[in-house]
């Protein structure tokens, strides 16, 4: 399945390499982007939303932040949080690039925080790029959500919202 919508900043041009599969949906409060490619590279770009990048399986990738001060190599044991409007590029370091990204809206982040009794997300939490370790629990949650949202597409909004809330928490 391939969806291309040029109105979503950061997805306005094709990556370099051989794109094998792409699924982009930013219509809801939790946007998703799945890209599987051979020899993947996407030049410097930004997104209108924060992006949580989850490499899958044996995928290894590098994300460089402009103006060149930061570089992050990530794989399936990690995930990377890149704040909105931060210019970065993405490069697959493994032959097959297989990455699932979540793009929560600011309103959704505030809504989930409020449900947890926090008026706003911790100050500055989404203001810098962060490389975080993926727990076994989070990994299972991401893989189940990926399957239901991208592959099976059989759950309703309420069930998907359960996954989305818990991933953000």
């Amino acid at each position: 399945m391939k969806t291309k919508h040029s109105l979503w900043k950061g997805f306005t041009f094709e990556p370099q390499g051989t794109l094998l599969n792409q699924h982009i949906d930013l219509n809801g409060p939790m946007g998703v982007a799945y890209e599987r490619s051979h020899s993947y590279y996407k030049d410097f770009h930004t997104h209108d939303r924060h992006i949580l990048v989850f490499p899958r399986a044996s995928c290894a990738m590098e994300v460089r932040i402009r103006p060149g001060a930061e570089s992050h190599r990530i794989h399936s044991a990690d995930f990377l949080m890149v704040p909105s409007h931060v210019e970065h590029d993405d490069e697959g370091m493994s032959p097959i690039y297989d990455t699932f990204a979540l793009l929560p809206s600011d309103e959704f982040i505030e809504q989930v925080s409020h449900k947890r009794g926090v008026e706003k997300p911790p100050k500055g939490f989404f203001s810098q790029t962060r490389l975080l370790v993926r727990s076994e629990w989070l990994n299972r949650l991401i893989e189940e959500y990926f399957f239901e949202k991208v592959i099976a597409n059989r759950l309703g909004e309420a069930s998907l919202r359960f996954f989305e809330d818990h991933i953000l928490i």
Side-chain angles (χ1 to χ4, degrees):
M1 173 185 291
K2 182 177 177 178
T3 307
K4 183 53 81 176
H5 300 277
S6 62
L7 63 129
W8 294 324
K9 191 167 186 171
F11 297 101
T12 52
F13 61 91
E14 296 285 336
Q16 297 174 24
T18 304
L19 191 60
L20 302 172
N21 195 353
Q22 185 180 55
H23 175 91
I24 297 170
D25 180 2
L26 296 177
N27 288 319
M30 178 69 87
V32 299
Y34 170 62
E35 292 175 305
R36 182 175 170 86
S37 179
H38 182 269
S39 300
Y40 185 94
Y41 176 74
K42 192 163 190 184
D43 205 354
F44 284 93
H45 61 284
T46 64
H47 299 279
D48 291 339
R49 296 181 178 197
H50 305 298
I51 185 166
L52 308 172
V53 182
F54 295 90
R56 300 183 70 242
S58 62
C59 175
M61 63 183 288
E62 186 167 1
V63 177
R64 289 173 291 274
I65 308 298
R66 267 213 175 130
E70 293 179 62
S71 180
H72 301 277
R73 281 189 177 238
I74 59 175
H75 51 78
S76 62
D78 307 316
F79 72 99
L80 186 68
M81 183 182 73
V82 180
S84 61
H85 306 289
V86 168
E87 194 171 19
H88 63 283
D89 75 343
D90 307 313
E91 183 171 7
M93 305 311 289
S94 53
I96 297 294
Y97 175 93
D98 191 353
T99 300
F100 185 50
L102 303 178
L103 295 97
S105 69
D106 287 336
E107 296 80 19
F108 185 59
I109 292 168
E110 287 181 19
Q111 178 186 27
V112 171
S113 295
H114 185 71
K115 273 197 243 180
R116 300 294 293 174
V118 178
E119 281 305 310
K120 290 192 173 227
K123 185 174 174 125
F125 185 77
F126 287 100
S127 65
Q128 63 186 19
T129 304
R130 297 175 187 273
L131 179 63
L132 302 163
V133 175
R134 217 185 301 187
S135 68
E136 182 62 32
W137 178 84
L138 179 58
N139 196 50
R140 280 193 227 138
L141 192 61
I142 291 294
E143 288 303 317
E144 287 291 324
Y145 180 66
F146 171 80
F147 179 78
E148 294 299 339
K149 182 77 176 179
V150 177
I151 304 297
N153 199 19
R154 64 180 177 202
L155 290 182
E157 291 280 326
S159 296
L160 289 173
R161 187 60 44 91
F162 170 84
F163 283 106
E164 295 165 354
D165 285 354
H166 284 83
I167 289 167
L168 278 184
I169 292 167

